[in-house]
Amino acid sequence: MDIALKVWRQKNSQTPGKMVDYKLSDISPDMSFLEMFDVLNEDLSHKGEEPVAFDHDCREGICGSCSMYINGRPHGPQTGTTTCQLHMRSFNDGDTIVVEPWRARAFPVLKDLIVDRDAFDRIVQAGGYVSVNTGSAPDANEILIPREVADEAMDAAQCIGCGACVAACKNASAMLFVAAKVSHLAVLPQGQAEHQLRAERMVAQMDAEGFGACSFTGACSVECPKSISLDHIARLNREYLGAKLASNNA
Amino acid sequence: MSWVTTTLSSTLGRKVVMSLTGLFLCSFLIVHLVGNLQLFKGDEGRAFNEYSYFMTHNPIIKTISYLLYSSIIVHALMALVLTRHNQASRPVKYAYAKPEANSPWTSRNMGILGTIILVFIIIHMRTFWYTMHFGPVVLNGETITAGSIPQVTYDGEPIKDLYAVTVFAFSYLWYVALYVVSMIALSFHLVHGFQSGFQTLGLRHKKYSPLIEFLGTYGFGIVIPALFAAMPVYIYLKAHHILF
Ligand code: HEM
Ligand code: SF4
Ligand code: FES
């Protein structure tokens, strides 16, 4: 296949960037989108130009690092997949593909397509955990959890922290991510002790990072590679409001 | 900061304010609609005038009306605060975005739709509410009434003839068109807004969410705006002896 690319190039967070055109030929439809970028970068290296910087790690849809805004959508035209799981057969011969980094105040561009997603880590550090005393591992069946509850928790726990929800949202809101992180602990007995403080602290951190508010457009859930449901955002709203009305925290 | 100010300065707390004021306005729409349906009675406006008299003189209704005015103001101000915050959350826009692939148009344009509704509310209040309370109104360079709003007498009791003001206002085609366009904006605002208001409060469950979706789409999205829009159209056609 012949492909024309328009890629965002930016030297570092201080320098303004711009879209740059590239042409590639003999691209196999079986290549993944990232492999196509590997070919581009090899070309660029041979020509003595700086390769395009992009995040990637597992290349099998589990690490969440391969952030690319492709043809107007996070992770490209397919739903339920990451960029590394997207294949060139999803495009046509002769297509022009526009590739940009995630755009959000809370995700500053570091270089080319790489953005700084530390804001997500800081939100999780604010309360996305269960405090336990270290020691020997607890017995697996000590706390019995009904199947439905475990499933609901697992649906939320699938979140890989990729940031596609923020990238897709017109408000650059991180509500789906925060909802997933609050929800998977809120439904489990282990998460009960800290559930009020967790919701309050994580929302406060989300706001402090400069993410937008939720307008319930549903774009996040459609673009989420793990198809995390808007039900979790409703639960986050309940957790937060309930905590504000009932907790003893400031 | 107290817990109240912390909550109200969070994005979630601000959305709760949007939701509560918005849903309160939705409940008001039903009352307003039922009352105004009296316009369709072929009684030269008697039922409508008596309803207007009741609404402006009943102390409970008067108290609720202040809640209503403040809801509109708070809803609009909070919309401004949230919209500005949301825009600031993405300082650099995408060169090429395809939002129609993942979200409905209405959900992405609540601010524009709301602004149309706000302009409508101001014009609407000027024509009817202001006239009812403070007297004559000048429409299109012509004064509707000289000095004061006309009176009618039912069973020996004189009351203000708001029906005459209504018929006069809706005899202008541009004024009718303004109402119809505004009701389309209201429809789009509520198709998304009604459902979103419940989501914001965390009220989402497979037991009742389908009902909320149904009411939002058909009730608040179609039936209510359509009936409101039918009033000026009906009166215009009647005033010009077309159809009725
Ligand atoms: C006065 C002019 C108005 C403006 C400027 C306005 C603006 C807005 C905006 C921007 C939103 C979306 C908030 C967001 O995306 O987070 C919204 C939501 C909403 N609006 Fe309005 N609106 C207006 C009038 C109305 C009226 C008259 C009604 C009802 C009859 C209404 C009902 C709602 C509801 C139910 C919501 C959903 C709240 C939520 O998402 O939690 N609005 N409005
Ligand atoms: S909620 Fe979905 S889109 Fe958002 S970070 Fe988690 S996996 Fe990615
Ligand atoms: S590289 Fe790990 S999810 Fe794509």
Side-chain angles (χ1 to χ4, degrees):
Chain A
M1 308 167 66
D2 289 344
I3 295 292
L5 284 171
K6 283 183 187 298
V7 182
W8 182 261
R9 300 300 311 261
Q10 183 171 343
K11 199 160 172 245
N12 54 43
S13 43
Q14 275 79 48
T15 326
K18 61 174 193 302
M19 300 301 280
V20 177
D21 292 342
Y22 298 105
K23 288 227 178 314
L24 287 177
S25 42
D26 292 332
I27 292 294
S28 155
D30 296 329
M31 275 181 188
S32 79
F33 201 80
L34 296 188
E35 283 165 342
M36 183 270 290
F37 258 77
D38 293 338
V39 171
L40 169 70
N41 277 347
E42 213 148 304
D43 269 14
L44 291 175
S45 301
H46 281 306
K47 286 193 243 165
E49 289 176 37
E50 174 96 7
V52 180
F54 64 92
D55 259 334
H56 62 108
D57 186 21
C58 70
R59 298 213 177 193
E60 57 180 15
I62 53 172
C63 75
S65 50
C66 50
S67 53
M68 286 190 190
Y69 197 83
I70 302 163
N71 275 352
R73 298 180 68 181
H75 298 141
Q78 237 170 39
T79 52
T81 47
T82 51
T83 306
C84 56
Q85 296 170 296
L86 176 68
H87 289 84
M88 294 313 293
R89 55 179 169 269
S90 298
F91 300 89
N92 299 315
D93 190 27
D95 273 2
T96 299
I97 308 175
V98 185
V99 188
E100 295 173 79
W102 288 172
R103 297 289 188 198
R105 178 168 57 163
F107 287 164
V109 174
L110 293 176
K111 187 178 168 65
D112 298 338
L113 301 173
I114 300 182
V115 297
D116 179 354
R117 276 174 290 189
D118 286 356
F120 270 11
D121 295 338
R122 288 189 291 268
I123 293 173
V124 171
Q125 282 160 11
Y129 49 77
V130 171
S131 308
V132 287
N133 291 322
T134 50
S136 53
D139 175 38
N141 289 325
E142 197 178 1
I143 304 171
L144 295 176
I145 297 165
R147 177 63 193 275
E148 300 182 16
V149 174
D151 284 352
E152 179 77 4
M154 192 55 218
D155 282 347
Q158 285 189 87
C159 167
I160 53 176
C162 64
C165 42
V166 174
C169 176
K170 76 174 181 74
N171 306 336
S173 168
M175 279 291 276
L176 193 64
F177 168 77
V178 178
K181 298 302 170 202
V182 164
S183 198
H184 81 109
L185 296 176
V187 295
L188 293 175
Q190 290 91 332
Q192 287 318 299
E194 292 159 300
H195 81 113
Q196 291 177 324
L197 196 59
R198 178 180 306 117
E200 290 177 283
R201 284 205 181 147
M202 289 180 80
V203 168
Q205 190 63 35
M206 168 181 92
D207 286 349
E209 297 291 349
F211 291 105
C214 178
S215 286
F216 188 46
T217 69
C220 51
S221 184
V222 171
E223 301 294 7
C224 171
K226 303 298 160 186
S227 304
I228 292 183
S229 155
L230 297 174
D231 291 354
H232 298 291
I233 295 187
R235 180 176 291 112
L236 170 60
N237 288 336
R238 283 199 296 279
E239 284 282 317
Y240 181 78
L241 281 180
K244 280 297 174 206
L245 292 173
S247 83
N248 291 323
N249 313 315
Chain B
M1 278 197 283
S2 85
W3 70 275
V4 180
T5 46
T6 329
T7 309
L8 291 184
S9 52
S10 72
T11 47
L12 265 68
R14 288 183 173 156
K15 278 297 313 245
V16 169
V17 173
M18 284 304 285
S19 162
L20 293 178
T21 50
L23 291 176
F24 176 67
L25 292 173
C26 286
S27 70
F28 158 75
L29 275 190
I30 301 176
V31 178
H32 196 38
L33 177 74
V34 172
N36 288 8
L37 284 176
Q38 314 299 328
L39 285 171
F40 290 116
K41 268 198 171 176
D43 64 354
E44 295 301 309
R46 176 166 183 167
F48 180 74
N49 279 334
E50 283 171 347
Y51 155 75
S52 307
Y53 181 86
F54 171 75
M55 292 306 264
T56 40
H57 290 78
N58 183 298
I60 298 172
I61 305 269
K62 275 177 100 168
T63 316
I64 295 177
S65 73
Y66 290 111
L67 195 59
L68 180 70
Y69 308 144
S70 26
S71 284
I72 295 172
I73 293 165
V74 170
H75 188 84
L77 288 178
M78 212 42 121
L80 188 69
V81 170
L82 278 168
T83 304
R84 289 180 56 123
H85 172 80
N86 292 340
Q87 284 171 348
S89 299
R90 173 161 296 134
V92 182
K93 308 279 171 247
Y94 290 108
Y96 174 41
K98 225 173 171 175
E100 67 281 4
N102 55 36
S103 51
W105 184 89
T106 50
S107 73
R108 286 179 274 115
N109 291 280
M110 294 296 278
I112 298 164
L113 294 166
T115 308
I116 299 175
I117 301 171
L118 184 62
V119 171
F120 166 78
I121 292 175
I122 294 168
I123 298 176
H124 177 64
M125 299 267 289
R126 175 69 183 85
T127 312
F128 297 108
W129 179 85
Y130 184 89
T131 307
M132 188 67 178
H133 289 265
F134 304 110
V137 68
V138 182
L139 240 187
N140 238 7
E142 291 175 53
T143 306
I144 289 184
T145 51
S148 71
I149 178 168
Q151 305 259 321
V152 278
T153 309
Y154 300 130
D155 309 328
E157 279 285 328
I159 63 172
K160 289 179 180 176
D161 193 0
L162 195 62
Y163 184 74
V165 179
T166 310
V167 171
F168 184 85
F170 292 153
S171 63
Y172 290 98
L173 189 59
W174 69 270
Y175 202 73
V176 173
L178 174 93
Y179 270 62
V180 173
V181 170
S182 304
M183 288 309 109
I184 293 171
L186 182 69
S187 152
F188 286 165
H189 196 75
L190 296 184
V191 161
H192 179 70
F194 188 73
Q195 297 176 42
S196 178
F198 288 91
Q199 168 81 3
T200 302
L201 300 177
L203 297 172
R204 180 182 172 97
H205 197 282
K206 57 177 185 279
K207 285 182 195 160
Y208 53 76
S209 286
L211 177 66
I212 293 173
E213 218 168 288
F214 178 84
L215 288 177
T217 310
Y218 297 100
F220 286 91
I222 297 177
V223 177
I224 294 181
L227 284 172
F228 272 123
M231 292 166 192
V233 172
Y234 169 73
I235 291 179
Y236 178 84
L237 296 178
K238 209 171 147 184
H240 294 268
H241 306 292
I242 315 166
L243 281 178
F244 302 102

